[in-house]
Amino acid sequence: MKMRMTSIQITLTAAALLGGLSSAFSAQAQDGQQSAKPDAAGAPAIPGKTSTGEVKKIDKPAGKITIQHGPLVNLSMPGMTMVFKVKDPTMLDSVQVGDNIHFVAEKVNGSLTLTQLEASK
């Protein structure tokens, strides 16, 4: 009898924990969906990867943009001014020198590349 009570208690505890985890993941997913806004190319912003900065130079023929930016948390880099490639050269049509921007920079084939870009409103 004592063993059965223990099994029942374990089962109930496990069910309660799984239910709590399910609720936490569901709430986290909903928060991510609500805060993810599309960028200029229509892709949703990526929470935790999105950075901010100011456009200093645009080189459309080379497909590059110079940005003075804050910390790039996802790349463990401090704020600085640097040149990035862009994933799609048409992304550069959505910004101008002097614009404040939101962007996602990622390492793509060994190069720091903007995969999302949006002018701040």
Side-chain angles (χ1 to χ4, degrees), residues 28-45:
Q28 186 178 28
Q30 287 175 357
D31 285 346
Q33 289 172 355
Q34 290 171 352
S35 64
K37 295 179 184 174
D39 71 355

Side-chain angles (χ1 to χ4, degrees), residues 5-44:
M5 290 292 266
T6 304
S7 296
I8 291 171
Q9 289 172 337
I10 290 171
T11 302
L12 290 174
T13 301
L17 286 173
L18 289 174
L21 286 174
S22 175
S23 296
F25 283 123
S26 176
Q28 186 178 28
Q30 287 175 357
D31 285 346
Q33 289 172 355
Q34 290 171 352
S35 64
K37 295 179 184 174
D39 71 355

Side-chain angles (χ1 to χ4, degrees), residues 17-108:
L17 286 173
L18 289 174
L21 286 174
S22 175
S23 296
F25 283 123
S26 176
Q28 186 178 28
Q30 287 175 357
D31 285 346
Q33 289 172 355
Q34 290 171 352
S35 64
K37 295 179 184 174
D39 71 355
I46 302 171
K49 287 189 172 186
T50 303
S51 301
T52 59
E54 180 183 343
V55 177
K56 294 297 185 181
K57 181 180 177 184
I58 296 172
D59 184 350
K60 287 185 181 183
K64 295 182 179 182
I65 185 169
T66 303
I67 302 171
Q68 180 180 357
H69 62 81
L72 304 179
V73 177
N74 62 314
L75 297 171
S76 300
M77 295 180 73
M80 64 182 85
T81 300
M82 58 190 298
V83 178
F84 295 90
K85 289 182 178 182
V86 290
K87 177 181 167 184
D88 178 358
T90 62
M91 294 167 66
L92 297 174
D93 296 333
S94 66
V95 295
Q96 298 176 5
V97 172
D99 281 354
N100 289 315
I101 58 169
H102 297 283
F103 65 95
V104 175
E106 299 181 85
K107 206 165 212 179
V108 177

Side-chain angles (χ1 to χ4, degrees), residues 2 20 62 110:
K2 193 172 193 177

